Amino acid sequence: QAGRNFNHLVQSTKADEHQLVTSGVYSWCRHPSYVGWFLWSVGTQVVLLNPVCFLLYGYVSFIFFNERIYVEEYTLISFFGDKYRDYQRKVSTGIPGIRGFQGPAM
């Protein structure tokens, strides 16, 4: 669904073809690939019965995605403005405790 809009690097300029995708899996959570990675990183430790790494992976992953989503959403708000703000209000990031950028409008 995201197609060419998806990139592993946070973009700093909006390309003409960039579109805000809010349907499909993006209607369930704003960052489905991050949710998947987060669940994989902690889930593997549950399967391996490794409580120390479960806690460490959970902590490190939370810190990483909290910062990454904050920066990414700052950029998305600068690209899409109120359209993205409305999307934020309706759909969570998908990772409990991570809200994304909630600062003043730009």
Side-chain angles (χ1 to χ4, degrees):
Q1 295 204 353
R4 297 180 59 124
N5 292 308
F6 181 82
N7 192 315
H8 291 286
L9 303 173
V10 176
Q11 303 300 295
S12 57
T13 36
K14 183 178 184 266
D16 292 336
E17 66 272 6
H18 276 159
Q19 297 177 20
L20 179 60
V21 178
T22 60
S23 60
V25 70
Y26 293 95
S27 67
W28 300 332
C29 65
R30 296 194 309 261
H31 302 280
S33 63
Y34 298 161
V35 171
W37 194 93
F38 184 82
L39 292 174
W40 173 83
S41 70
V42 296
T44 54
Q45 301 315 304
V46 170
V47 170
L48 295 171
L49 302 173
N50 191 339
V52 173
C53 284
F54 171 79
L55 293 173
L56 283 170
Y57 284 29
Y59 176 76
V60 170
S61 295
F62 183 87
I63 297 299
F64 172 78
F65 286 120
N66 192 42
E67 289 181 22
R68 171 81 180 210
I69 289 170
Y70 184 91
V71 170
E72 188 171 310
E73 292 200 341
Y74 178 89
T75 305
L76 288 166
I77 290 168
S78 74
F79 288 1
F80 300 108
D82 288 337
K83 196 172 179 181
Y84 194 82
R85 292 274 190 189
D86 291 339
Y87 178 53
Q88 277 184 311
R89 280 189 281 281
K90 295 175 187 169
V91 180
S92 78
T93 63
I95 301 174
I98 296 180
R99 296 183 58 219
F101 180 76
Q102 301 291 315
M106 295 170 262

